[in-house]
Amino acid sequence: MWRYVINENLKLAIPNPNRDAQKLFELIDESRESIQKWLPWAANLKSTADEVKFLKHVNINFGMRESLNVVIYDKQQPVGMISCDHFKANKSANIGYWLAEGARGHGVMHQAVLAMVDIGFQDYDLNRIEIEAAVENMGSNHVAQKAGFKLEGTLRAHHLLLDGRFHDYNLYSLLRSEWQK
């Protein structure tokens, strides 16, 4: 199984649908209101079976080198997920993430993003990594900024329909040349 150790408490690992689906679904369900506010897929995730199906799908994408979706473990317990998606021919990709409410505010996502950046530049030979964050999503914007991503601009009424309206999104990027410094 693919694993990336961040420190003695934190690691990233490819999801095991049989082992991880129940706990991940419970975390999403417990944090549904805050997750669903920014990530529309949460509304359609209604059961552990839905989570199993999703985890199997992302593992297929991993095998095809289209994306890397991993579980974030803190002290051996799943607390969220992070992904590096949409690997493109131009050597760019984007990072997406969610974290259970109880794990927020402790630097977990900051460390997970830094790890995913290292993986993207080292293992996938990327030149550019992006993060999109709704302007109103202060937590996600803070994660991108703290990880050294540069704000390129705001995408107005961007592609995701949330709460019946389109939101403006900040587009952040980090280049290989900046990461190497």
Side-chain angles (χ1 to χ4, degrees):
M1 170 193 285
W2 184 95
R3 231 184 271 202
Y4 185 95
V5 176
I6 297 171
N7 60 39
E8 65 185 40
N9 292 325
L10 293 174
K11 74 174 181 177
L12 307 177
I14 295 294
N16 177 326
N18 296 323
R19 182 193 65 222
D20 297 324
Q22 179 66 38
K23 182 63 176 172
L24 289 170
F25 176 74
E26 289 170 3
L27 292 172
I28 292 165
D29 209 33
E30 291 165 6
S31 304
R32 187 172 297 281
E33 187 175 324
S34 64
I35 291 173
Q36 190 171 304
K37 184 174 183 178
W38 307 115
L39 301 169
W41 55 259
N44 298 321
L45 193 77
K46 299 181 189 242
S47 68
T48 300
D50 291 341
E51 184 66 12
V52 168
K53 183 177 176 182
F54 170 74
L55 296 178
K56 287 180 178 180
H57 175 74
V58 299
N59 285 348
I60 290 169
N61 287 346
F62 172 69
M64 296 172 63
R65 292 187 61 86
E66 292 177 3
S67 67
L68 173 63
N69 296 64
V70 293
V71 178
I72 303 166
Y73 290 90
D74 186 8
K75 299 179 188 94
Q76 308 295 325
Q77 294 300 312
V79 293
M81 289 190 74
I82 187 167
S83 63
C84 197
D85 297 306
H86 309 297
F87 295 128
K88 300 174 180 124
N90 63 356
K91 296 190 175 213
S92 68
N94 68 296
I95 291 178
Y97 41 80
W98 68 267
L99 197 62
E101 287 177 1
R104 296 177 194 165
H106 305 287
V108 170
M109 192 54 72
H110 170 68
Q111 292 179 67
V113 167
L114 292 178
M116 192 60 81
V117 164
D118 288 347
I119 293 163
F121 288 133
Q122 291 175 347
D123 297 348
Y124 287 87
D125 195 31
L126 296 175
N127 182 59
R128 173 187 172 90
I129 300 175
E130 298 175 351
I131 294 176
E132 293 177 3
V135 170
E136 301 96 342
N137 187 342
M138 297 304 172
S140 191
N141 281 277
H142 178 72
V143 166
Q145 294 162 359
K146 188 176 176 184
F149 281 70
K150 309 291 186 246
L151 177 62
E152 290 193 350
T154 301
L155 306 170
R156 299 177 307 136
H158 198 40
H159 61 86
L160 285 178
L161 185 63
L162 301 168
D163 295 327
R165 69 181 182 95
F166 290 98
H167 291 254
D168 293 347
Y169 272 71
N170 287 327
L171 175 63
Y172 294 92
S173 69
L174 185 66
L175 304 177
R176 174 185 284 280
S177 58
E178 297 164 334
W179 168 76
Q180 289 173 328
K181 292 179 183 177

